[in-house]
């Protein structure tokens, strides 16, 4: 039975990005490759040797993450005591070191190999520079008013770096019944 109302037209669905399309396939292929490699190594050596490799990778990964976290926290404390921002030279490799530790903790030999590569300082520097260039390029390419614009504004630093501390005191009118006048918001 029709009511005479037109059927609603929905706008076309936006295209999915390539990353969203192929990421599940890539993760599935990586998991299959990890399992296959573990079975090959277990057949060549023994299942117990593979188990010891996985446990050693987990322990080493947890030690690396703990060390990188302590170093990052120490750098943050020193920067706060100086009264400035943490320097990127002292803490540049902490994130990549934590990622390497996480990859070591994930069961699998490929993830362990990539995690060990990320623990090498020249590799950390190269990956860090590449990631920074990619991030900066994407921020510059973002349209104004988007999330990229917000990141760009958040990265701007004041030249003097001074902070003015103050307190806001609101005084009520003696009459109390008169409506308060609307004032425009304060801007910089």
């Amino acid at each position: 039975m029709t009511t005479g109302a037109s059927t609603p037209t929905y706008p076309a669905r936006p295209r999915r990005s390539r990353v969203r399309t192929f990421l599940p396939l890539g993760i599935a292929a990586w998991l299959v490759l990890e399992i296959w490699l573990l079975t090959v190594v277990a057949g060549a050596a023994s299942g117990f040797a593979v188990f010891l490799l996985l446990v050693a990778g987990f322990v080493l990964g947890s030690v690396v993450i703990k060390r990188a976290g302590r170093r990052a926290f120490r750098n943050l404390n020193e920067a706060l005591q100086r009264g400035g921002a943490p320097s990127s030279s002292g803490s540049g490799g902490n994130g990549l070191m934590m990622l390497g530790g996480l990859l070591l903790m994930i069961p699998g030999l490929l993830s362990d190999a990539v995690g060990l590569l990320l623990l090498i300082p020249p590799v950390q520097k190269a990956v860090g520079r590449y990631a920074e260039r990619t991030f900066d390029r994407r921020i510059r390419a973002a349209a104004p008013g988007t999330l990229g614009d917000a990141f760009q504004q958040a990265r701007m630093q004041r030249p003097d770096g001074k902070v003015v501390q103050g307190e806001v005191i609101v005084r009520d009118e003696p009459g109390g019944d008169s409506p308060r006048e609307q004032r425009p918001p304060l801007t910089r």
Side-chain angles (χ1 to χ4, degrees):
M1 179 173 179
T2 60
T3 59
S6 64
T7 58
T9 58
Y10 297 105
R13 290 180 68 192
R15 283 193 69 218
R16 290 178 68 162
S17 68
R18 286 187 182 190
V19 172
R20 282 188 66 194
T21 302
F22 293 115
L23 185 66
L25 181 63
I27 291 174
W30 172 67
L31 288 173
V32 168
L33 190 60
E34 286 277 16
I35 292 170
W36 175 78
L37 190 59
L38 284 173
T39 57
V40 167
V41 171
S46 70
F48 187 68
V50 170
F51 177 73
L52 286 178
L53 278 173
L54 294 177
V55 169
F58 185 83
V59 170
L60 180 64
S62 63
V63 167
V64 166
I65 288 177
K66 188 175 184 178
R67 180 176 171 223
R70 283 185 178 168
R71 191 169 69 175
F73 190 70
R74 186 181 63 238
N75 289 344
L76 179 65
N77 274 339
E78 289 172 1
L80 289 176
Q81 287 176 355
R82 283 192 318 257
S87 64
S88 61
S89 62
S91 63
N94 289 336
L96 290 173
M97 190 173 278
M98 285 184 182
L99 179 62
L102 180 66
L103 286 172
L104 282 170
M105 290 177 74
I106 293 174
L109 298 177
L110 284 178
S111 62
D112 287 352
V114 173
L116 286 173
L117 274 176
L118 284 176
L119 297 181
I120 301 171
V123 175
Q124 282 181 356
K125 289 181 183 179
V127 170
R129 275 186 267 135
Y130 174 75
E132 187 175 348
R133 275 195 317 262
T134 304
F135 185 72
D136 285 342
R137 190 177 333 116
R138 291 208 178 183
I139 283 180
R140 278 191 232 108
T146 62
L147 188 59
D149 191 35
F151 280 132
Q152 185 65 31
Q153 289 176 2
R155 290 181 54 189
M156 290 182 198
Q157 297 178 359
R158 296 281 178 209
D160 58 359
K162 294 181 181 176
V163 176
V164 178
Q165 295 185 4
E167 184 177 11
V168 176
I169 300 173
V170 178
R171 295 188 182 151
D172 290 333
E173 298 290 327
D177 293 336
S178 63
R180 302 184 97 171
E181 64 182 67
Q182 294 293 328
R183 296 183 183 153
L186 297 175
T187 58
R188 292 183 196 195

